[in-house]
Amino acid sequence: VPVSLPGATLANGLTIKKSKLRGVDSNGMMCSAVECGLTDSSPGVWVLPPDSPVGDDFIEFAQLKDTLFDVAILPNRGDCLSMHGLARECCALYGQTLPDQSNQNQPDSRVSTPIELTVDESLCSYYQATKISGLSHVETPVWMQTRLYKSGMRPISWLVDVTNYVMLAVGQPLHAFDGNNVSTISVERGGSESVSLLNDTEYSINQCPIIRVNNNVGAVAGVMGTAGTEVTQGTTEIVLESAIFNAVETRRATKQLGLRSESSNRFEKGVDITQLNQAVEYVIELLSSNNN
């Protein structure tokens, strides 16, 4: 865990001093991401991966010192809701050439797509489901956790963090379903039923575009997944969803549910279809690097 010793100054300006807490000597403070200046709220002390070095300067190790640009994106510039999109825009403004970001590595043999898909094209113009197996639970590297915090997102778990990180990098929202025994996926309009989404809240999904996985609702399309198909620490196989959902239908769903997400924000403004394959390749690259 990150520790601030006496003399250290926290992000809020508080200087740590030796003191007594409930009659016990305190010679420092274990810190959460709040004390490190990365977020306004945190569930507790920042528990680091077990291979993190002990005794190193945490500010340097976690790359806490950085320059952050807060860019206001207009509704018609969904292409700039990613690092790649902003880089492309800057290159256009300054007459520079954007470096090739494509992954030159071929996907490994663990990747296949033996899934039956049914897609309502009025709701979704493109849908790709990629099954990736042979995965194991690992801790999200601190550098990735730090970048997620700096981008306004909270690290959750390795598989979820990778999809969120790639979305921030290239602009393509992604969703990982637990891939155990997934055989059919359908993009359709929801009926008169209620589901519990990943924010632990129950919603009525009548007429919302949904993803049905093995006849169960797996997600409100482009908005948020359901609690029944989420990945866990025991997940060894995922079905990675990458799609182009109808912007108007996504907006209607968010208004009906009173719920917006990082994904819906991008689908409402329009995502770049040319980044679909790059996003999937990037996820595979990151998962392979930490699961070998």
Side-chain angles (χ1 to χ4, degrees), residues 274-291:
T274 65
Q275 299 301 306
L276 275 166
N277 288 332
Q278 182 180 339
V280 174
E281 291 172 356
Y282 197 6
V283 168
I284 294 171
E285 179 183 357
L286 289 170
L287 292 178
S288 298
S289 66
N290 263 35
N291 279 277

Side-chain angles (χ1 to χ4, degrees), residues 67-145:
T67 299
L68 303 183
F69 293 96
D70 192 352
V71 183
I73 303 299
L74 297 175
N76 65 328
R77 294 309 306 269
D79 59 305
C80 288
L81 283 171
S82 69
M83 296 299 294
H84 183 89
L86 285 173
R88 181 172 54 196
E89 184 72 2
C90 290
C91 286
L93 287 171
Y94 293 101
Q96 303 296 312
T97 300
L98 186 67
D100 182 14
Q101 299 294 315
S102 62
N103 180 14
Q104 301 301 318
N105 299 323
Q106 292 296 319
D108 61 36
S109 59
R110 294 178 295 174
V111 181
S112 59
T113 55
I115 298 168
E116 180 182 336
L117 291 175
T118 305
V119 179
D120 182 338
E121 294 184 1
S122 68
L123 306 175
C124 175
S125 60
Y126 180 91
Y127 193 96
Q128 177 175 316
T130 306
K131 183 171 283 190
I132 308 174
S133 59
L135 302 174
S136 58
H137 173 69
V138 297
E139 298 289 341
T140 303
V142 172
W143 65 264
M144 184 181 290
Q145 293 189 45

Side-chain angles (χ1 to χ4, degrees), residues 8 40 43 46 97 115 121 131 169 186 211 238 240 251 263:
D40 293 330
W46 191 353
T97 300
I115 298 168
E121 294 184 1
K131 183 171 283 190
S186 173
I211 310 299
I238 64 172
L240 181 66
R251 177 60 176 161
S263 292

